[in-house]
Amino acid sequence: MYIMFIVIAILLVFADGFTVHGPPDPLVAPLGSSVVLLCYVDEPLPVKDLEVEWKRTDSETLVHLFVDGESRAEVQQQDYHDRAHFFTDQIQHGNFSLRLDNLRAEDEGKYTCKVYSEQDSGETVVQLKDVERLLVSGSSRSISAYDGEDVTLNCTVDSHIKPEHIEEVSWKRADVDIPVLLYQNNETFPDSSDEQYTDRVEFFTDEIPKGNFSLRLKSVRTEDKGVYMCEVFAGVLSANATVVLQLGESTKHGK
Ligand SMILES: *[C@@H]1O[C@H](CO)[C@@H](O)[C@H](O)[C@H]1NC(C)=O
Ligand SMILES: *[C@@H]1O[C@H](CO)[C@@H](O)[C@H](O)[C@H]1NC(C)=O
Ligand SMILES: *[C@@H]1O[C@H](CO)[C@@H](O)[C@H](O)[C@H]1NC(C)=O
Ligand SMILES: *[C@@H]1O[C@H](CO)[C@@H](O)[C@H](O)[C@H]1NC(C)=O
Ligand SMILES: *[C@@H]1O[C@H](CO)[C@@H](O)[C@H](O)[C@H]1NC(C)=O
């Protein structure tokens, strides 16, 4: 019995196998912040012949490579050059975690941490599920329209929250503070519009799943001239963007 136990223990020591661990749950972090992608083994590994490779699981993009005792910045994807930080002093503890700085929306996805030693190799996958953000964009240039024309006022939402889970999008006149059109919990409420806009405003319903909450304004009138605000609410977050509508001289109409 004891002999068998000793034999197994010896086998384990000589096999020098290891298991690579990652974080227990997918990660969520705010846009622009830093996040540590955990990757470690239980027992320290000799640095000689050690190789640690961090890659995007989907695109195979090399995020960080540590080989022969040093980080190889020259083979790493340019984009990660200044943003991926490897804890060189942690290697002796069997910790191969990577810190990713200044998080971007495109960082969402899966990362594979592959560890190779002389005897064995192993890997773990770390998922960065959400880069939390709510960015709303309108139009940087003002829109010009003639009396009677139809116009589209742009409003697009980029968020980790899917468009169908956005609670509210409210279009209003920012200069005169009147409601233009309201969208709440998957529904448009035309009755909430100010009289001035009744039957003249709508969303592009088919575009909403893409985060396009642009407003269609029909038969533009003189009093429509002004500043429009698209305000978006999702969970604890809110953001807005504006679009300026100008009216062309009606005398120039009909070129
Ligand atoms: C590995 O190092 C990182 C960075 O110092 C630290 O946040 C993490 O807790 C360490 N993990 C383990 C398992 O030691
Ligand atoms: C509105 O968005 C569309 C699509 O992105 C773009 O082509 C167009 O130039 C935008 N309009 C304005 C006034 O910014
Ligand atoms: C909108 O509809 C989708 C799918 O029908 C649903 O999952 C979601 O919870 C709804 N969103 C809101 C804010 O009610
Ligand atoms: C939103 O959708 C409308 C209708 O397809 C389109 O005209 C407009 O350019 C889109 N806006 C953006 C910003 O994509
Ligand atoms: C619109 O967003 C800006 C920040 O981008 C914020 O300072 C302002 O309070 C917001 N306005 C409204 C009416 O929510």
Side-chain angles (χ1 to χ4, degrees), residues 232-245:
V232 180
F233 301 86
V236 295
L237 304 170
S238 79
N240 65 71
T242 53
V243 179
V244 176
L245 177 63

Side-chain angles (χ1 to χ4, degrees), residues 11 44 59 66 104 108:
L11 279 178
S59 62
F66 178 87
R104 301 174 184 164
E108 280 177 354

Side-chain angles (χ1 to χ4, degrees), residues 162-168 183-187:
K162 291 186 177 62
E164 66 264 30
H165 293 132
I166 285 174
E167 283 137 24
E168 181 177 322
Y183 166 96
Q184 245 176 4
N185 302 324
N186 292 331
E187 262 189 89

Side-chain angles (χ1 to χ4, degrees), residues 12 34 38 48 50 59 62 66 85 109 122 137 143 145 154 156 159 167 184 206 208 210 223 233 235 251:
L12 282 177
S34 298
L38 278 183
K48 188 179 171 293
L50 175 72
S59 62
L62 190 62
F66 178 87
H85 177 83
S137 36
I143 305 176
N154 278 349
T156 44
S159 179
E167 283 137 24
Q184 245 176 4
D206 296 346
I208 289 178
K210 297 179 214 160
E223 65 263 32
F233 301 86
T251 48

